[in-house]
Amino acid sequence: MDAGFTAEQDEIRRTLRELLHKRSGPEEVRAALDTPAGHDPALWTALAEQLGLPGLALPEAYGGVGCSATELALACEETGRTLAPTPLLATAVLAAPLILALGTDAQRADLLPRIAAGTLTAALAAPATALALTCDNRGDWAGGGRAGGVQARRAGDGWRLYGEVAHVLDGHSAQLLLVAAHSGGFARSRTDLFLVPGDAEGLVRARQTALDATRPRARLQLRYVQAELLGEEGADVPGALARLGNTAAAVLACEAVGAADRALELTVEYVKQREQFGRPVGSFQAVKHLLADVYVQVQAARSAAYYAAWATAHRETVGGLALAQALQALRTAAGEAIQLHGGIGFTWEHQAHLYFKRAAGDELLFGPVHRLRAHAADAARLFLAPEVAV
Protein backbone atom coordinates (compact mmCIF):
# COMPACT_ATOMS: atom_id res chain seq x y z
CA MET A 1 0.00 0.00 0.00
CA ASP A 2 1.26 3.48 -0.97
CA ALA A 3 0.37 5.76 1.95
CA GLY A 4 0.69 8.91 -0.16
CA PHE A 5 -2.13 10.54 -2.11
CA THR A 6 -1.97 10.98 -5.86
CA ALA A 7 -2.18 14.43 -7.41
CA GLU A 8 -5.71 13.62 -8.56
CA GLN A 9 -6.81 12.59 -5.07
CA ASP A 10 -5.33 15.76 -3.54
CA GLU A 11 -7.12 17.86 -6.14
CA ILE A 12 -10.47 16.16 -5.42
CA ARG A 13 -10.09 16.83 -1.70
CA ARG A 14 -8.93 20.44 -2.14
CA THR A 15 -11.62 21.41 -4.64
CA LEU A 16 -14.38 19.77 -2.65
CA ARG A 17 -13.26 21.39 0.61
CA GLU A 18 -13.29 24.82 -1.02
CA LEU A 19 -16.76 24.30 -2.45
CA LEU A 20 -18.21 23.02 0.82
CA HIS A 21 -16.59 25.88 2.73
CA LYS A 22 -18.54 28.32 0.55
CA ARG A 23 -21.80 26.41 0.17
CA SER A 24 -22.20 24.23 3.27
CA GLY A 25 -21.53 26.27 6.37
CA PRO A 26 -23.44 25.79 9.65
CA GLU A 27 -26.22 28.17 8.59
CA GLU A 28 -26.68 26.47 5.22
CA VAL A 29 -26.76 23.03 6.84
CA ARG A 30 -29.46 24.06 9.31
CA ALA A 31 -31.51 25.68 6.56
CA ALA A 32 -31.33 22.53 4.43
CA LEU A 33 -32.48 20.32 7.31
CA ASP A 34 -35.74 22.24 7.58
CA THR A 35 -36.69 21.69 3.93
CA PRO A 36 -39.03 18.84 2.92
CA ALA A 37 -36.20 17.03 1.10
CA GLY A 38 -33.75 17.42 3.98
CA HIS A 39 -30.95 18.54 1.69
CA ASP A 40 -29.99 21.48 -0.51
CA PRO A 41 -30.80 20.72 -4.18
CA ALA A 42 -28.59 23.62 -5.31
CA LEU A 43 -25.59 22.16 -3.47
CA TRP A 44 -26.30 18.73 -4.95
CA THR A 45 -26.40 20.25 -8.44
CA ALA A 46 -23.10 22.03 -7.82
CA LEU A 47 -21.45 18.84 -6.57
CA ALA A 48 -22.65 17.01 -9.66
CA GLU A 49 -21.93 19.63 -12.31
CA GLN A 50 -18.68 21.07 -10.97
CA LEU A 51 -17.08 17.96 -9.44
CA GLY A 52 -18.99 14.98 -10.87
CA LEU A 53 -19.30 13.65 -7.34
CA PRO A 54 -22.33 11.33 -7.87
CA GLY A 55 -20.44 9.55 -10.66
CA LEU A 56 -17.00 9.65 -9.10
CA ALA A 57 -16.80 5.85 -8.73
CA LEU A 58 -18.80 4.99 -11.86
CA PRO A 59 -17.19 3.92 -15.15
CA GLU A 60 -16.69 6.51 -17.86
CA ALA A 61 -18.86 4.40 -20.16
CA TYR A 62 -21.85 5.40 -18.03
CA GLY A 63 -20.93 9.06 -17.72
CA GLY A 64 -18.90 8.65 -14.54
CA VAL A 65 -15.42 9.89 -13.68
CA GLY A 66 -13.92 6.40 -13.62
CA CYS A 67 -12.31 6.59 -10.19
CA SER A 68 -12.47 3.89 -7.54
CA ALA A 69 -14.26 3.69 -4.22
CA THR A 70 -11.06 5.04 -2.65
CA GLU A 71 -11.59 8.46 -4.22
CA LEU A 72 -15.25 8.39 -3.24
CA ALA A 73 -14.26 7.66 0.36
CA LEU A 74 -11.78 10.55 0.40
CA ALA A 75 -14.49 12.82 -0.98
CA CYS A 76 -16.87 11.70 1.75
CA GLU A 77 -14.26 12.63 4.35
CA GLU A 78 -14.73 16.22 3.21
CA THR A 79 -18.54 16.03 3.22
CA GLY A 80 -18.30 14.55 6.71
CA ARG A 81 -16.34 17.56 7.95
CA THR A 82 -19.26 19.89 7.24
CA LEU A 83 -22.03 17.29 7.76
CA ALA A 84 -23.21 18.30 4.31
CA PRO A 85 -26.82 17.08 3.91
CA THR A 86 -26.80 15.58 0.42
CA PRO A 87 -28.14 12.35 -1.15
CA LEU A 88 -24.55 11.26 -1.82
CA LEU A 89 -24.54 8.32 0.60
CA ALA A 90 -27.89 6.91 -0.48
CA THR A 91 -27.36 7.49 -4.21
CA ALA A 92 -23.65 7.08 -4.98
CA VAL A 93 -22.50 4.82 -2.14
CA LEU A 94 -25.45 2.45 -1.63
CA ALA A 95 -27.66 2.41 -4.75
CA ALA A 96 -25.39 3.03 -7.74
CA PRO A 97 -22.92 0.17 -7.00
CA LEU A 98 -25.79 -2.32 -6.83
CA ILE A 99 -27.16 -1.19 -10.19
CA LEU A 100 -23.66 -1.47 -11.64
CA ALA A 101 -23.09 -4.93 -10.14
CA LEU A 102 -26.49 -6.54 -10.71
CA GLY A 103 -28.31 -4.52 -13.36
CA THR A 104 -28.87 -5.62 -16.93
CA ASP A 105 -27.14 -3.73 -19.73
CA ALA A 106 -30.35 -1.85 -20.44
CA GLN A 107 -30.85 -0.90 -16.79
CA ARG A 108 -27.28 0.32 -16.45
CA ALA A 109 -27.46 2.34 -19.66
CA ASP A 110 -30.72 3.94 -18.54
CA LEU A 111 -30.02 4.67 -14.87
CA LEU A 112 -26.29 5.14 -14.30
CA PRO A 113 -25.73 8.12 -16.65
CA ARG A 114 -28.55 9.98 -14.91
CA ILE A 115 -27.13 9.14 -11.49
CA ALA A 116 -23.69 10.31 -12.60
CA ALA A 117 -25.17 13.58 -13.87
CA GLY A 118 -26.96 14.18 -10.57
CA THR A 119 -30.39 14.26 -12.20
CA LEU A 120 -31.52 10.98 -10.62
CA THR A 121 -31.34 10.27 -6.90
CA ALA A 122 -31.78 6.76 -5.54
CA ALA A 123 -32.16 4.99 -2.21
CA LEU A 124 -31.71 1.44 -0.95
CA ALA A 125 -34.81 0.17 0.87
CA ALA A 126 -33.35 -2.65 2.96
CA PRO A 127 -32.54 -3.07 6.65
CA ALA A 128 -29.01 -2.40 7.84
CA THR A 129 -28.49 -6.13 8.42
CA ALA A 130 -28.58 -6.58 4.64
CA LEU A 131 -25.07 -5.09 4.46
CA ALA A 132 -23.67 -7.91 6.63
CA LEU A 133 -21.74 -5.57 8.93
CA THR A 134 -23.08 -6.87 12.24
CA CYS A 135 -24.40 -10.31 11.27
CA ASP A 136 -24.74 -12.71 8.39
CA ASN A 137 -27.18 -11.48 5.74
CA ARG A 138 -28.28 -14.85 4.39
CA GLY A 139 -31.35 -14.94 6.62
CA ASP A 140 -34.95 -13.82 6.32
CA TRP A 141 -34.22 -10.13 6.66
CA ALA A 142 -35.68 -8.35 3.61
CA GLY A 143 -37.85 -5.42 4.54
CA GLY A 144 -38.52 -5.68 8.23
CA GLY A 145 -42.13 -4.50 8.26
CA ARG A 146 -44.88 -5.73 10.54
CA ALA A 147 -46.02 -8.31 7.98
CA GLY A 148 -42.62 -9.99 7.70
CA GLY A 149 -40.86 -7.60 5.35
CA VAL A 150 -41.60 -6.95 1.69
CA GLN A 151 -43.07 -9.72 -0.42
CA ALA A 152 -42.71 -9.90 -4.22
CA ARG A 153 -45.21 -11.72 -6.42
CA ARG A 154 -45.38 -12.15 -10.15
CA ALA A 155 -48.15 -10.24 -11.91
CA GLY A 156 -48.22 -10.90 -15.63
CA ASP A 157 -44.88 -9.92 -17.11
CA GLY A 158 -43.84 -7.92 -14.06
CA TRP A 159 -43.77 -7.95 -10.29
CA ARG A 160 -45.85 -6.50 -7.48
CA LEU A 161 -44.49 -5.62 -4.04
CA TYR A 162 -46.32 -5.53 -0.74
CA GLY A 163 -44.89 -4.66 2.66
CA GLU A 164 -43.14 -2.01 4.70
CA VAL A 165 -39.57 -0.78 5.17
CA ALA A 166 -38.42 1.71 7.80
CA HIS A 167 -35.30 3.87 8.19
CA VAL A 168 -34.62 4.22 4.47
CA LEU A 169 -31.97 6.90 3.92
CA ASP A 170 -33.43 9.65 1.71
CA GLY A 171 -36.36 7.34 1.01
CA HIS A 172 -38.85 10.20 1.20
CA SER A 173 -37.21 12.19 -1.61
CA ALA A 174 -35.34 9.66 -3.81
CA GLN A 175 -36.60 9.43 -7.38
CA LEU A 176 -35.73 5.73 -7.58
CA LEU A 177 -35.94 3.05 -4.91
CA LEU A 178 -34.05 -0.24 -4.79
CA VAL A 179 -36.30 -2.43 -2.68
CA ALA A 180 -35.18 -5.75 -1.20
CA ALA A 181 -38.03 -8.24 -1.15
CA HIS A 182 -38.80 -11.94 -0.70
CA SER A 183 -39.72 -13.73 -3.91
CA GLY A 184 -40.36 -17.34 -4.87
CA GLY A 185 -42.96 -17.98 -2.17
CA PHE A 186 -42.37 -19.35 1.30
CA ALA A 187 -41.20 -22.77 0.12
CA ARG A 188 -38.36 -21.44 -2.05
CA SER A 189 -38.00 -17.93 -0.73
CA ARG A 190 -35.04 -15.89 -1.88
CA THR A 191 -34.08 -12.23 -1.70
CA ASP A 192 -34.19 -10.08 -4.84
CA LEU A 193 -33.83 -6.38 -5.53
CA PHE A 194 -36.50 -4.44 -7.39
CA LEU A 195 -36.61 -1.02 -9.02
CA VAL A 196 -39.51 1.17 -7.94
CA PRO A 197 -40.03 4.75 -9.17
CA GLY A 198 -40.50 7.29 -6.42
CA ASP A 199 -43.93 8.25 -7.77
CA ALA A 200 -45.20 4.69 -8.22
CA GLU A 201 -48.88 4.08 -7.58
CA GLY A 202 -49.47 2.44 -4.22
CA LEU A 203 -46.19 3.70 -2.71
CA VAL A 204 -46.63 5.70 0.50
CA ARG A 205 -43.59 7.54 1.83
CA ALA A 206 -43.31 9.41 5.12
CA ARG A 207 -40.25 11.16 6.48
CA GLN A 208 -39.37 9.94 9.96
CA THR A 209 -38.09 11.96 12.87
CA ALA A 210 -34.42 11.10 13.13
CA LEU A 211 -31.88 11.59 15.90
CA ASP A 212 -29.43 12.81 13.26
CA ALA A 213 -31.34 15.29 11.13
CA THR A 214 -28.45 15.45 8.65
CA ARG A 215 -29.32 11.88 7.66
CA PRO A 216 -33.02 12.13 6.68
CA ARG A 217 -34.83 8.82 6.47
CA ALA A 218 -38.30 7.56 5.67
CA ARG A 219 -40.79 4.79 6.22
CA LEU A 220 -42.06 3.19 3.01
CA GLN A 221 -45.32 1.33 2.59
CA LEU A 222 -45.71 -0.65 -0.60
CA ARG A 223 -49.31 -1.54 -1.39
CA TYR A 224 -49.20 -3.88 -4.34
CA VAL A 225 -46.70 -1.60 -6.12
CA GLN A 226 -45.56 -2.44 -9.63
CA ALA A 227 -41.80 -3.07 -9.76
CA GLU A 228 -39.03 -4.17 -12.10
CA LEU A 229 -36.55 -6.87 -11.12
CA LEU A 230 -32.99 -5.55 -10.91
CA GLY A 231 -30.82 -7.77 -13.08
CA GLU A 232 -31.60 -11.40 -13.79
CA GLU A 233 -33.37 -13.98 -11.66
CA GLY A 234 -31.11 -16.13 -9.54
CA ALA A 235 -28.51 -13.42 -8.93
CA ASP A 236 -26.57 -13.63 -5.68
CA VAL A 237 -28.18 -10.60 -4.07
CA PRO A 238 -26.99 -11.30 -0.48
CA GLY A 239 -23.43 -11.65 -1.78
CA ALA A 240 -23.66 -8.36 -3.67
CA LEU A 241 -25.07 -6.63 -0.60
CA ALA A 242 -22.29 -8.00 1.61
CA ARG A 243 -19.64 -6.71 -0.81
CA LEU A 244 -21.42 -3.38 -0.88
CA GLY A 245 -21.46 -3.35 2.92
CA ASN A 246 -17.68 -3.63 3.10
CA THR A 247 -17.21 -0.77 0.65
CA ALA A 248 -19.91 1.37 2.27
CA ALA A 249 -18.31 0.83 5.69
CA ALA A 250 -14.97 2.09 4.37
CA VAL A 251 -16.65 5.17 2.92
CA LEU A 252 -18.59 5.78 6.14
CA ALA A 253 -15.38 5.39 8.14
CA CYS A 254 -13.71 8.16 6.13
CA GLU A 255 -16.79 10.32 6.51
CA ALA A 256 -16.80 9.80 10.30
CA VAL A 257 -13.10 10.64 10.46
CA GLY A 258 -13.76 13.91 8.65
CA ALA A 259 -16.50 14.76 11.14
CA ALA A 260 -14.30 13.81 14.12
CA ASP A 261 -11.43 15.91 12.82
CA ARG A 262 -13.67 18.95 12.41
CA ALA A 263 -15.18 18.50 15.88
CA LEU A 264 -11.67 18.43 17.31
CA GLU A 265 -10.69 21.54 15.34
CA LEU A 266 -13.68 23.45 16.67
CA THR A 267 -12.79 22.47 20.22
CA VAL A 268 -9.13 23.45 19.90
CA GLU A 269 -10.10 26.82 18.44
CA TYR A 270 -12.51 27.44 21.30
CA VAL A 271 -10.21 26.52 24.20
CA LYS A 272 -7.55 28.85 22.78
CA GLN A 273 -9.99 31.77 23.05
CA ARG A 274 -12.07 30.96 26.14
CA GLU A 275 -10.40 32.32 29.28
CA GLN A 276 -10.81 31.13 32.85
CA PHE A 277 -8.84 32.32 35.89
CA GLY A 278 -7.12 34.88 33.68
CA ARG A 279 -5.72 32.44 31.09
CA PRO A 280 -6.97 30.45 28.08
CA VAL A 281 -8.67 27.19 29.01
CA GLY A 282 -6.46 25.38 26.52
CA SER A 283 -3.35 26.29 28.50
CA PHE A 284 -4.30 23.99 31.38
CA GLN A 285 -2.41 20.73 31.34
CA ALA A 286 -5.49 18.58 31.92
CA VAL A 287 -7.17 20.05 28.84
CA LYS A 288 -4.00 19.61 26.77
CA HIS A 289 -3.72 15.94 27.72
CA LEU A 290 -7.41 15.33 27.04
CA LEU A 291 -7.27 16.84 23.55
CA ALA A 292 -3.99 15.07 22.81
CA ASP A 293 -5.70 11.75 23.56
CA VAL A 294 -8.58 12.69 21.23
CA TYR A 295 -6.09 13.66 18.53
CA VAL A 296 -4.33 10.30 18.76
CA GLN A 297 -7.66 8.47 18.56
CA VAL A 298 -8.74 10.47 15.49
CA GLN A 299 -5.43 9.88 13.72
CA ALA A 300 -5.57 6.16 14.44
CA ALA A 301 -9.10 6.05 13.03
CA ARG A 302 -7.94 7.98 9.96
CA SER A 303 -5.20 5.44 9.29
CA ALA A 304 -7.69 2.58 9.59
CA ALA A 305 -10.21 4.35 7.34
CA TYR A 306 -7.62 5.10 4.65
CA TYR A 307 -6.45 1.51 4.70
CA ALA A 308 -10.03 0.24 4.42
CA ALA A 309 -10.65 2.58 1.48
CA TRP A 310 -7.54 1.29 -0.27
CA ALA A 311 -8.39 -2.33 0.59
CA THR A 312 -11.79 -2.18 -1.13
CA ALA A 313 -10.01 -2.47 -4.48
CA HIS A 314 -8.00 -5.46 -3.23
CA ARG A 315 -10.94 -7.53 -1.94
CA GLU A 316 -10.01 -7.26 1.72
CA THR A 317 -12.94 -7.24 4.12
CA VAL A 318 -11.84 -4.70 6.72
CA GLY A 319 -14.51 -2.02 6.32
CA GLY A 320 -16.46 -3.00 9.43
CA LEU A 321 -13.43 -2.73 11.72
CA ALA A 322 -12.46 0.64 10.27
CA LEU A 323 -16.01 1.89 10.71
CA ALA A 324 -16.06 0.76 14.34
CA GLN A 325 -12.85 2.65 15.09
CA ALA A 326 -14.01 5.76 13.24
CA LEU A 327 -17.39 5.87 14.98
CA GLN A 328 -15.74 5.50 18.35
CA ALA A 329 -13.34 8.34 17.53
CA LEU A 330 -16.22 10.54 16.36
CA ARG A 331 -18.24 9.86 19.49
CA THR A 332 -15.24 10.72 21.67
CA ALA A 333 -14.32 13.87 19.74
CA ALA A 334 -17.91 15.12 19.65
CA GLY A 335 -18.51 14.30 23.31
CA GLU A 336 -15.41 16.19 24.42
CA ALA A 337 -16.37 19.07 22.13
CA ILE A 338 -19.68 19.44 23.98
CA GLN A 339 -17.95 19.14 27.35
CA LEU A 340 -15.13 21.62 26.69
CA HIS A 341 -17.40 24.17 25.06
CA GLY A 342 -19.10 24.43 28.44
CA GLY A 343 -22.54 25.98 28.60
CA ILE A 344 -22.66 26.95 24.93
CA GLY A 345 -21.81 23.39 23.89
CA PHE A 346 -25.15 22.14 25.22
CA THR A 347 -27.23 24.68 23.30
CA TRP A 348 -29.27 23.99 20.19
CA GLU A 349 -27.66 26.96 18.43
CA HIS A 350 -24.14 25.51 18.56
CA GLN A 351 -23.13 22.86 16.04
CA ALA A 352 -21.35 20.55 18.52
CA HIS A 353 -24.49 18.51 19.10
CA LEU A 354 -24.81 17.82 15.35
CA TYR A 355 -21.51 15.94 15.36
CA PHE A 356 -22.49 13.96 18.44
CA LYS A 357 -25.81 13.04 16.84
CA ARG A 358 -24.02 11.96 13.67
CA ALA A 359 -21.95 9.50 15.72
CA ALA A 360 -24.95 8.17 17.62
CA GLY A 361 -27.15 8.07 14.51
CA ASP A 362 -24.62 6.13 12.46
CA GLU A 363 -24.32 3.55 15.21
CA LEU A 364 -28.09 3.13 15.21
CA LEU A 365 -28.19 2.77 11.43
CA PHE A 366 -25.15 0.62 10.71
CA GLY A 367 -24.50 -1.15 13.98
CA PRO A 368 -23.00 -0.38 17.40
CA VAL A 369 -19.22 -0.42 17.64
CA HIS A 370 -19.15 -3.57 19.75
CA ARG A 371 -21.31 -5.48 17.25
CA LEU A 372 -19.23 -4.36 14.30
CA ARG A 373 -16.14 -5.69 16.03
CA ALA A 374 -17.81 -8.87 17.24
CA HIS A 375 -18.98 -9.76 13.74
CA ALA A 376 -15.52 -9.09 12.30
CA ALA A 377 -14.04 -11.38 14.96
CA ASP A 378 -16.60 -14.09 14.19
CA ALA A 379 -15.90 -13.83 10.45
CA ALA A 380 -12.18 -14.21 11.13
CA ARG A 381 -12.89 -17.13 13.51
CA LEU A 382 -10.77 -15.26 16.02
CA PHE A 383 -12.12 -16.77 19.22
CA LEU A 384 -12.83 -20.31 18.07
CA ALA A 385 -10.96 -22.97 19.95
CA PRO A 386 -8.43 -24.76 17.77
CA GLU A 387 -9.30 -28.27 16.73
CA VAL A 388 -7.40 -30.89 18.66
CA ALA A 389 -6.54 -34.16 16.97
CA VAL A 390 -7.63 -37.20 18.93
Side-chain angles (χ1 to χ4, degrees), residues 89-108:
L89 176 61
T91 299
V93 179
L94 296 177
L98 288 173
I99 297 173
L100 181 62
L102 298 175
T104 63
D105 291 339
Q107 289 170 339
R108 294 172 185 164

Side-chain angles (χ1 to χ4, degrees), residues 138-204:
R138 297 279 173 175
D140 231 16
W141 50 261
R146 291 169 297 191
V150 181
Q151 306 296 325
R153 294 182 181 178
R154 284 193 177 277
D157 295 333
W159 294 82
R160 294 279 182 169
L161 305 184
Y162 188 91
E164 184 179 286
V165 197
H167 306 298
V168 179
L169 287 176
D170 292 311
H172 63 294
S173 61
Q175 297 159 314
L176 177 69
L177 300 170
L178 274 66
V179 181
H182 295 296
S183 61
F186 290 100
R188 290 177 290 180
S189 179
R190 64 179 182 276
T191 300
D192 285 316
L193 285 172
F194 296 87
L195 301 173
V196 177
D199 58 355
E201 184 180 355
L203 173 64
V204 180

